[in-house]
Amino acid sequence: MFSRKLSRRQLLKTAGLLGVAGAILDPAKVLADEGEGSRVTWDIVSVGTGSIRRGGDAAAKAEDGSIITITGHGTFPNVDRCSPVVSGGGTWSIFKPATSTDSRCFSGSGNYRVTELLSWVTAPGGVLPLPDATGDRGTASAGLAILRVRFDNGRPGTLTISCHLPGSPNCMPEGITATMVYEDFFEAQPPTGDHNRTLFHVGGPGDNDD
């Protein structure tokens, strides 16, 4: 006969399996727990008024010389893993030079929305060179975020946001890169005047600047 007495190890194993099953059966609970934690706000910022504000634009160049220009703002969980608990988006426009004659390379303009966080890491640096007038909650931070986006022309893509603050490593760029399907806007344009500047804020539980 088999003993009906369960060992402590068996009980822990069973509890772990039930926990996994619960997450599968109730994904809303998992998303709620993640959404209620620390949040990160991202902005493409403007500095033309002598302070840091929302509403800037940033650009990146593709192999054929096409340039995508992005505006935007949003939030995501303060975790370094994929998460659908995101908000935000902005506008996009692609300037295609006359030298680019391949019709398979994209052009146009419109809106985009963020659909998923793919990766997020903070970075050294953090003393802002100008007053912070974004209205975002939390502490200003350097960092690197990769977001999955959906453009309103129906095409998928990614948006990579890199924020380099005073004291950040020199290997970190300031600005954005992006993809639209197979077109890679890989060359972030350097900060000039009021363009190509980004900022993150890392907040506490419940901080949400949608």
Side-chain angles (χ1 to χ4, degrees):
M1 296 291 292
F2 293 102
S3 172
R4 295 185 180 181
K5 185 176 181 180
L6 293 175
S7 68
R8 182 173 180 272
R9 182 176 180 182
Q10 288 172 314
L11 287 170
L12 291 173
K13 184 176 180 181
T14 301
L17 290 173
L18 289 173
V20 171
I24 295 172
L25 294 174
D26 190 8
K29 175 64 166 58
V30 176
L31 297 182
D33 290 345
E34 195 170 76
E36 291 168 2
S38 175
R39 301 286 290 177
V40 178
T41 304
W42 63 270
D43 291 288
I44 298 174
V45 296
S46 167
V47 297
T49 60
S51 60
I52 303 171
R53 298 178 179 272
R54 295 180 183 178
D57 60 73
K61 185 182 291 187
E63 184 68 30
D64 68 342
S66 293
I67 294 178
I68 189 169
T69 301
I70 295 285
T71 69
H73 160 84
T75 69
F76 54 79
N78 187 19
V79 295
D80 183 17
R81 63 175 182 271
C82 294
S83 172
V85 188
V86 295
S87 69
T91 65
W92 65 275
S93 63
I94 296 176
F95 167 76
K96 190 175 178 180
T99 53
S100 177
T101 58
D102 193 331
S103 62
R104 295 167 296 182
C105 297
F106 302 113
S107 61
S109 62
N111 300 310
Y112 72 92
R113 61 184 176 88
V114 178
T115 60
E116 186 179 8
L117 169 68
L118 298 179
S119 176
W120 157 246
V121 289
T122 58
V127 179
L128 296 180
L130 293 170
D132 186 348
T134 60
D136 294 340
R137 301 177 187 177
T139 303
S141 175
L144 179 69
I146 305 175
L147 308 173
R148 192 185 307 279
V149 302
R150 172 68 64 168
F151 297 98
D152 61 359
N153 60 5
R155 295 182 171 96
T158 60
L159 173 63
T160 298
I161 305 163
S162 180
C163 178
H164 181 288
L165 293 176
S168 293
N170 292 333
C171 54
M172 285 186 65
E174 169 73 3
I176 63 101
T177 60
T179 64
M180 182 180 287
V181 194
Y182 46 74
E183 188 164 1
D184 187 2
F185 299 88
F186 63 91
E187 187 178 337
Q189 300 302 284
T192 54
D194 199 30
H195 307 284
N196 306 314
R197 301 181 188 275
T198 65
L199 186 60
F200 296 106
H201 286 82
V202 179
D207 283 352
N208 197 328
D209 293 297
D210 294 355

